[in-house]
Each structure stands twice: as structure tokens, then as C-alpha cells.
């Protein structure tokens, strides 16, 4: 939700900020704006729509003074308060024009703050919650010249979630930032420093980053970085080195980031698995602040996650219960804390999140911790809030995922979930090291199998083009194929804006089969006949049932499974895999199908309408 960048140094701030915003556009793209500090004033430009609209406006304006500034901030927005218009775009100026502010998050008490400011005669120029911060900051700066102190004082009056950046005309060469419940990282350069929602914004300039903690304020100049908590006590941020480069965040010759990310999946899954087995055959997590005894005491597992990560959790349930014999529930993170789940010290809550910043998941995690449960995070973003607040962490190491709809995040989350299941089984003595080793070997074979699936996607792309005008799609699966069906439907909805629903195949006859009409495309995910035969046979019957009612069946089945051939209008083959691991291959054709349909329909595959990559509001 919203990308923010700040810069001070020897380069043209406008260019650095615009480049950073381009890499953060996945976080929100309904408007964009910049504020550049010149000698004695703030030059502001903001525009509704994508960043390209702002760039066009800047080009037409040709403001040479603005282009020469060395200190500035920029914002790309995903609207919460106030529609996506020019006037609601960030930055927001204070009434006296002294201060410009950008914001990611929601100021929950903004209505009260706004009423108080209006009562003092301040006229608001937008419908945003953010604007009150710019007025408050400029009022504080009448009491102190210290920009960081003024920001700290303002932050103590704010409720909700926020990352704020501000510049002040009377404090040249400085950008101040603050964070509570929203991400902010510092980039440390040579004679220049950066602030951003994530490192991709400044990675072209430096790979040295500093992670900011909760409730902290940072002041950067070209040569210094000062971090304090909200009461002004100096604190050390956690420095770290970013080990992926700019090329990893670029499209690498593909038309869309998503096409590239789909193609990267064999490598991404291999990286998730890399170095996970210790010298005694034990599974290694990245950070463990729990003892093995803590894990042995676990008698219940809850998985909390949203969207695609939730679907990964649904697959994980099958593996975790099968391997550990511990009951495992999967919950939508946004619902978890409202239904008063039964949690205690012997509950393990697994929070899955690509970004590590999803507010619903973070709040579920905090609720679990309040109830004394242990929390383990599966996350792709090093140093983000969810892993930081967890007792143990397994990073997926999938590399940056830029396309808003998740693809490689899902597959790497699956691989990570399998590792967590194996770790639990091993620590609890339910599986011996050699049994765990055998599954790890099967997992390690998966990247090659995913590669094979990817090499045979031309027919799926052709099929997608023939389906591009369809209005409704149904996805069916059983066992681990059921969450895969949900994920297939989600991909299609978010990318191609068509109605798509995933069902447990057995549930169809209890109602949804009524929607099947002549020609309705139904994607069926068929489990291996070599696994549990009954599962396979049941879904073959389900395929016949929908076909008898006119459906156009698109069947994803294992090589050598001849039983499905008579009932498949289109057959997509995947290699043979162990039943539990099958989602690592069966998901891929559905990702390609959805991306290709969206592309054929002329939609923006990387930035679908109404969505944001990182959902940092509840
Ligand atoms: O960053 P997270 O994994 O926590 O994000 C969770 C969901 O918001 C995310 O998976 C979302 O559903 C994507 N649009 C799926 O493609």
C-alpha cells in the first residue's frame, strides 16, 4: 500500500526519486507525486493515475529549478482516504507551504485531528488522512527548529499505521522519516542517503541498508543517519547487506514481471530449499528463538495468512497433519482474532506472508503472541515486520516479486511449508532423519519438474487465447488439489477480471454444479493415480459429471494417466510427483493460463486494477 522514497545527496533528487518510485509502483499506482526542496521553497508535482502521468506532467513543465534540487521525497499511492485524484495525491503541503509530507498507512484518529485543525482556521485541500500530518508538523516547527523532534511530537498524537516522510523549507538537505506498523528502510550510500518502503527503490545506488524498528524516527542528510525512538532516545538500526541486485528486480527480457517470475520458479524453489539440511540431517530454519522442547510441547498448529499465502497454508495443512499428526487449522488472517481462537503456550501459529507487512497477518500474529502462542513466520522479505515479531523464521529466499499477483511466492511458500512440516515431525520424533531425508530428496527434484512443465506451456498459452472472451471459469480439485483450484481461480480473477470460482470437487453436486452451462470452462486438477486411487477415481467421475452438463473441460493430469483422456476437451500434462508435492507442478499451468488471458485481453498483467502488492491496512 503506497510506495515512498526519500533522497539527500549529490545527485538530482527528482531523478533518483522517480527511479525509486518506478520500482515501488507495485505497492500502489492510482496516483504519484514528488516534492523537491530547492533553496527556499518546495517544488511540488502530483498527478492521478500511474507514474507515467506524473512523468509526462514533469516533462511538460520542464522545471529546471526542481530538476536541480538534491533533496526530495516521492510517493506512489493506493488510495484509502479520498479518491485517486490529483488533489488527494501525495505529497501534501502544510497550509503555510513550509512542509511537505508523504504517508503510507492509515491515521485512524484523523477525523478528530482534522476537526481540531479546522477549528484553528486551517483549510484542508484534500480528503486524505495524511494532510493533517503536514499541518501538525508545520505547527510543531513553530516551536522547535529540530525537524526530527517535531516529527516525534507529531507521531505521539497519531493513532494507526504510518510510515511518514517529510521535508521542511527551513531545514535544507534533510529528510525526516517515521514508522509505526508500516515498512521503512534506510539506504546508506557514499555522500548520499535514502529512505524507502523497500530496498528495491535504492538498490541501483547502494546495497547497504538499515532496518528501522517500530516507533522510530530517522533523520537523514547526505552524510548522516540519526535514528531515535519516539521519545528521542538514540537507537541503533539493524544494518544488513542486500544480496540481490538490480537485474533481479528488472524484467529480464520478459514483457511483464509476472512472466519472468513464473519462469523463475524452478530457481526460486531451489533457493528456498538450499542449505536447509544440517550435518545430522536436521532441517534448518533461518532464525529460531524457540527451543526444540518448545516445539515438542506444541499440541495444535494454526496457519494464518491472506490470499495466495492462505492457499499455501491450506496445502500445508495436509502435509503438516500427515507428517506430524498434530491438528492443524488454517485461518484467514483477517478473521482470526475476531473469533476468539483458543490459543496458549502449546499452540504454534504459522504466519505466511510474502511481503512480511500484510496488516491482517501481522495483527493475527500479535493476537497470537498476546495469548502466549509461539509464532513461526514464513516470509520472503528479509527484515520485514512479520518475521521480526516472530519466534522463528523461515525465509523463502524467492527474490523480489514485483508483479502484484503472486506466482513464485506461492511455490516458494509451499516449499517452505513442507520444510516446516518436516522440521516439526523430526523435532517431535514422529519422523526419523532418513525419512525426512527421503522427502527432502523428493522436494529437491521438484525444480527440474517445474522446469519441465514450463517448457511445455505453448499449448496452454494458445488455449488461453481461445478462452480470452469467456465470462465464467470453474476450478475443481480434491485433497491438495482443492487449494490449488482456489489459487487458480484467484489468479484468473485478479489478472483477467473474470468471474472464477474454485471448489472442492466433491462439493460441486451440493449446489455449484447448477452454474455449469453449455461451454462453461471447467479446470480440473487431477491427483496422481499412483497415489490414493480412490481420490483419483472420484475426480474422474466429477469431470464426467460436469462434462455431461455441457462443460468444456480443461484437465491437468499426470503423464501416463490415461483414465482422464476420454473426458478432457483439453489435456495439460504434468510430471509424476508424490501426491502432497503435486501443487508445485499443477499450479504452474493455471498461472500461465491466467497471465496469458489477461495479456490477450490487453490488461496490465503486473498491476491489475484495484490491487496493491503489499496490503498494509486492515
Ligand atoms: O504479502 P502477503 O503474502 O502477506 O500477501 C498476501 C495477499 O495479499 C497476497 O497473496 C494477494 O492475495 C495476492 N494478490 C495474490 O496474488
Amino acid at each position: 500500500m503506497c510506495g515512498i522514497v526519500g533522497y539527500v545527496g549529490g545527485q538530482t533528487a527528482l531523478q533518483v526519486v522517480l527511479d525509486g518510485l518506478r520500482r515501488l509502483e507495485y505497492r500502489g499506482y492510482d496516483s504519484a507525486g514528488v516534492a523537491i526542496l530547492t533553496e527556499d521553497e518546495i517544488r511540488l508535482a502530483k498527478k492521478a493515475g500511474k507514474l507515467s502521468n506524473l512523468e509526462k506532467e514533469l516533462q511538460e513543465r520542464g522545471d529546471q529549478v526542481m530538476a536541480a534540487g538534491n533533496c526530495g521525497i516521492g510517493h506512489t499511492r493506493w488510495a484509502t482516504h479520498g479518491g485517486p485524484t490529483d488533489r488527494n495525491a501525495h505529497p501534501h503541503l502544510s497550509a503555510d507551504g513550509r512542509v511537505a509530507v508523504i504517508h503510507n498507512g492509515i491515521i485512524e484518529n484523523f477525523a478528530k485531528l482534522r476537526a481540531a485543525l479546522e477549528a484553528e482556521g486551517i483549510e484542508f485541500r484534500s480528503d486524505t488522512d495524511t494532510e493533517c500530518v503536514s499541518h501538525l508538523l508545520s505547527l510543531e516547527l513553530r516551536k522547535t527548529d529540530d525537524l526530527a523532534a517535531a516529527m516525534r511530537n507529531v507521531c505521539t498524537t497519531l493513532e494507526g499505521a504510518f510510515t511518514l516522510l517529510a521535508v521542511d523549507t527551513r531545514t535544507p538537505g534533510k529528510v525526516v522519516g517515521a514508522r509505526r506498523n508500516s515498512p521503512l528502510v534506510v539506504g546508506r550510500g557514499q555522500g548520499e542517503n535514502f529512505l524507502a518502503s523497500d530496498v528495491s527503490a535504492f538498490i541501483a545506488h547502494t546495497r547497504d541498508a538499515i532496518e528501522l524498528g517500530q516507533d522510530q524516527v530517522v533523520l537523514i542528510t547526505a552524510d548522516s543517519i540519526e535514528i531515535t525512538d519516539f521519545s528521542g532516545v538514540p537507537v541503533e538500526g539493524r544494518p544488513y547487506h542486500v544480496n540481490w541486485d538490480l537485474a533481479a528486480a528488472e524484467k529480464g527480457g520478459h514483457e511483464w514481471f509476472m512472466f519472468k517470475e513464473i519462469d523463475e520458479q524452478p530457481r526460486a524453489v531451489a533457493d528456498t530449499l538450499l542449505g536447509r539440511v544440517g550435518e545430522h540431517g536436521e532441517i534448518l530454519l533461518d532464525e529460531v528463538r524457540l527451543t526444540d522442547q518448545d516445539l515438542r510441547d506444541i499440541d495444535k498448529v494454526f496457519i494464518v495468512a491472506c490470499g495466495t499465502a492462505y492457499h499455501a497454508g491450506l496445502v500445508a495443512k495436509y502435509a503438516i497433519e500427515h507428517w506430524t499428526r498434530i491438528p492443524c487449522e488454517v485461518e484467514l488472517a483477517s478473521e482470526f482474532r475476531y473469533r476468539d481462537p483458543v490459543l496458549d503456550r502449546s499452540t504454534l501459529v504459522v504466519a505466511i506472508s510474502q511481503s512480511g507487512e500484510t496488516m491482517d497477518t501481522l495483527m493475527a500474529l500479535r493476537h497470537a503472541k498476546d495469548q502466549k502462542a509461539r509464532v513461526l513466520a514464513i516470509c520472503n522479505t528479509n527484515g520485514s515486520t512479520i518475521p521480526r515479531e516472530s519466534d522463528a523464521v523461515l525465509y523463502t529466499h524467492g527474490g523480489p516479486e514485483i508483479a502484484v499477483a503472486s506466482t513464485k511466492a506461492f511455490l516458494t511458500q509451499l516449499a517452505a511449508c513442507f520444510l516446516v512440516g518436516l522440521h516439526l515431525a523430526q523435532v517431535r520424533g514422529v519422523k526419523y532423519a532418513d525419512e525426512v531425508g527421503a522427502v527432502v530428496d523428493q522436494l529437491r527434484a521438484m525444480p527440474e519438474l517445474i522446469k519441465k512443465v514450463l517448457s511445455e506451456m505453448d499449448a496452454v498459452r494458445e488455449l488461453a487465447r481461445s478462452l480470452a472472451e469467456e465470462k465464467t471459469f470453474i476450478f475443481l480439485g480434491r485433497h491438495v488439489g482443492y487449494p490449488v483450484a482456489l489459487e487458480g481461480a484467484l489468479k484468473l480473477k485478479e489478472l483477467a477480471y473474470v468471474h472464477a470460482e474454485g471448489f472442492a470437487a466433491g462439493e460441486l453436486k451440493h449446489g455449484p454444479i447448477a452454474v455449469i452451462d453449455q461451454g462453461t470452462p471447467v479446470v480440473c486438477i487431477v491427483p496422481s493415480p499412483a497415489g490414493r486411487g480412490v481420490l483419483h477415481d472420484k475426480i474422474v467421475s466429477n469431470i464426467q459429471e460436469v462434462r455431461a452438463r455441457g462443460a468444456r473441460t480443461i484437465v491437468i493430469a499426470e503423464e501416463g494417466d490415461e483414465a482422464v483422456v476420454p473426458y478432457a476437451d483439453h489435456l495439460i500434462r504434468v510430471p509424476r510427483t508424490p501426491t502432497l508435492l503435486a501443487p508445485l507442478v499443477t499450479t504452474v499451468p493455471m498461472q500461465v493460463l491466467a497471465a496469458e488471458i489477461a495479456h490477450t485481453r490487453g490488461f496490465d498483467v503486473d498491476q491489475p486494477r484495484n490491487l496493491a502488492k503489499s496490503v498494509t491496512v486492515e
Side-chain angles (χ1 to χ4, degrees):
M1 284 344 186
C2 306
I4 60 178
V5 191
Y7 174 75
V8 195
Q11 302 189 60
T12 308
L14 183 60
Q15 205 47 56
V16 174
V17 168
L18 287 173
D19 287 347
L21 290 181
R22 204 164 299 118
R23 294 185 209 296
L24 293 181
E25 218 185 354
Y26 70 89
R27 299 181 63 88
Y29 37 82
D30 59 38
S31 52
V34 288
I36 303 295
L37 261 188
T38 65
E39 289 255 309
D40 51 2
E41 63 170 344
I42 291 169
R43 296 270 169 131
L44 192 79
K46 47 192 204 168
K47 202 80 197 134
K50 294 205 168 178
L51 185 62
S52 51
N53 288 4
L54 173 71
E55 288 174 318
K56 192 159 160 263
E57 155 104 4
L58 285 164
Q59 210 164 15
E60 282 165 10
R61 219 194 263 186
D63 184 340
Q64 293 309 317
V65 179
M66 187 181 203
N70 299 120
C71 174
I73 56 178
H75 187 268
T76 176
R77 180 169 186 245
W78 187 85
T80 56
H81 292 63
T85 58
D86 287 357
R87 68 193 285 272
N88 288 331
H90 298 212
H92 291 283
L93 283 180
S94 56
D96 56 8
R98 175 176 176 175
V99 161
V101 171
I102 55 177
H103 167 221
N104 169 30
I106 292 179
I107 310 288
E108 282 173 356
N109 58 335
F110 93 99
K112 215 164 102 192
L113 294 169
R114 181 173 177 143
L117 288 161
E118 281 176 334
E120 284 179 40
I122 291 176
E123 217 172 286
F124 275 67
R125 285 171 288 198
S126 78
D127 313 311
T128 65
D129 50 343
T130 308
E131 192 184 337
C132 63
V133 179
S134 50
H135 301 309
L136 288 169
L137 192 58
S138 115
L139 291 175
E140 276 304 316
L141 283 165
R142 291 182 193 171
K143 301 181 211 155
T144 169
D145 290 338
D146 182 338
L147 183 57
M151 179 58 98
R152 285 193 291 268
N153 291 345
V154 170
C155 285
T156 54
T157 68
L158 306 178
E159 291 167 18
F162 49 84
T163 299
L164 296 161
L165 294 192
V167 287
D168 166 28
T169 49
R170 294 195 212 151
T171 319
K174 291 182 182 174
V175 179
V176 69
R179 80 163 285 247
R180 168 180 287 169
N181 290 334
S182 279
L184 179 61
V185 284
V186 186
R188 186 198 289 276
Q190 300 283 335
E192 59 183 356
N193 287 308
F194 307 79
L195 295 172
S197 306
D198 78 47
V199 295
S200 59
F202 53 70
I203 201 161
H205 307 280
T206 178
R207 293 214 228 158
D208 290 323
I210 301 174
E211 183 184 307
L212 221 64
Q214 190 69 304
D215 286 3
Q216 292 181 354
V217 165
V218 58
L219 186 77
I220 60 164
T221 67
D223 304 305
S224 65
I225 298 163
E226 286 167 25
I227 307 174
T228 59
D229 65 17
F230 280 179
S231 56
V233 177
V235 289
E236 293 281 317
R238 186 181 77 87
Y240 63 102
H241 189 73
V242 184
N243 54 15
W244 46 269
D245 60 13
L246 190 58
E250 301 282 9
K251 287 183 194 157
H254 293 268
E255 191 158 1
W256 299 102
F257 277 109
M258 172 166 285
F259 291 175
K260 170 178 172 255
E261 287 158 11
I262 289 173
D263 263 13
E264 279 174 353
Q265 292 182 114
R267 201 248 337 123
V269 171
D271 285 353
T272 306
L273 301 172
L274 203 69
R276 290 299 178 189
V277 184
E279 54 178 315
H280 306 296
E282 74 280 18
I283 301 285
L284 302 172
L285 307 184
D286 290 293
E287 295 167 21
V288 192
R289 296 172 278 270
L290 289 174
T291 64
D292 282 359
Q293 190 54 50
D294 290 332
L295 292 178
R296 280 193 276 275
D297 290 342
I298 297 301
D299 60 14
K300 185 168 49 182
V301 177
F302 277 110
I303 298 177
V304 291
C306 304
T308 289
Y310 169 73
H311 297 153
L314 289 173
V315 174
K317 173 184 165 74
Y318 290 88
I320 290 175
E321 290 193 335
H322 181 65
W323 289 334
T324 68
R325 310 310 299 152
I326 314 172
C328 174
E329 298 303 329
V330 191
E331 295 259 346
L332 288 168
S334 54
E335 287 296 315
F336 187 63
R337 64 187 173 125
Y338 301 110
R339 67 162 189 82
D340 197 12
V342 182
L343 303 164
D344 58 31
R345 198 167 280 287
S346 55
T347 312
L348 178 69
V349 172
V350 179
I352 308 176
S353 174
Q354 188 285 132
S355 61
E357 300 292 348
T358 299
M359 188 56 77
D360 291 314
T361 310
L362 181 61
M363 287 309 183
L365 176 162
R366 287 186 181 158
H367 180 75
K369 289 202 83 174
D370 284 349
Q371 310 289 312
K372 307 280 180 271
R374 319 287 185 170
V375 179
L376 186 155
I378 291 176
C379 183
N380 191 38
T381 312
N382 196 303
S384 55
T385 311
I386 287 172
R388 266 216 323 268
E389 296 196 13
S390 299
D391 300 308
V393 183
L394 197 153
Y395 285 111
T396 49
H397 300 306
E401 190 181 66
I402 305 296
V404 167
S406 281
T407 52
K408 67 173 174 172
F410 182 64
L411 261 56
T412 55
Q413 284 162 354
L414 292 178
C417 286
F418 293 137
L419 291 170
V420 165
L422 293 172
H423 181 63
L424 283 177
Q426 195 173 42
V427 169
R428 297 167 62 83
V430 191
K431 273 196 184 298
Y432 293 114
D434 59 335
E435 293 173 298
V436 169
V439 184
V440 170
D441 287 346
Q442 292 171 339
L443 273 170
R444 283 185 175 145
M446 295 309 292
E448 272 311 306
L449 302 183
I450 300 167
K451 208 181 275 177
K452 184 163 188 300
V453 177
L454 284 166
S455 70
E456 291 162 6
M457 284 297 100
D458 281 350
V460 174
R461 285 187 200 100
E462 205 181 307
L463 172 65
R465 291 190 280 275
S466 78
L467 291 166
E469 297 310 317
E470 293 293 340
K471 300 280 180 288
T472 293
F473 285 76
I474 302 295
F475 290 76
L476 299 181
R478 279 179 184 262
H479 190 254
V480 289
Y482 167 44
V484 172
L486 296 178
E487 176 61 10
L490 175 63
K491 279 301 81 90
L492 204 50
K493 276 184 274 208
E494 54 186 348
L495 293 177
Y497 319 150
V498 292
H499 171 241
E501 275 196 86
F503 294 106
E507 192 59 19
L508 204 70
K509 58 189 171 300
H510 299 288
I513 199 165
V515 304
I516 307 284
D517 209 343
Q518 207 55 41
T520 306
V522 179
V523 181
C524 311
I525 300 117
V526 182
S528 170
R532 268 188 265 161
V534 62
L535 208 59
H536 174 267
D537 298 350
K538 287 274 188 292
I539 201 152
V540 174
S541 307
N542 298 139
I543 300 171
Q544 293 176 57
E545 284 156 18
V546 293
R547 203 156 184 267
R549 285 157 180 85
R552 176 177 172 185
T553 56
I554 300 148
V555 176
I556 302 176
E558 205 170 89
E559 282 155 5
D561 180 354
E562 295 307 314
V564 296
V565 175
Y567 316 112
D569 293 311
H570 308 275
L571 186 55
I572 301 170
R573 290 295 191 186
V574 290
R576 172 166 295 191
T577 56
T579 303
L580 281 169
L581 310 191
L584 286 166
V585 291
T586 50
T587 306
V588 176
M590 294 189 309
Q591 297 170 338
V592 173
L593 189 81
E596 194 64 30
I597 291 178
H599 180 63
T600 308
R601 294 180 67 148
F603 297 150
D604 187 329
V605 178
D606 288 337
Q607 296 177 346
R609 68 184 183 197
N610 302 338
L611 301 182
K613 182 71 181 161
S614 184
V615 184
T616 53
V617 293
E618 276 187 280

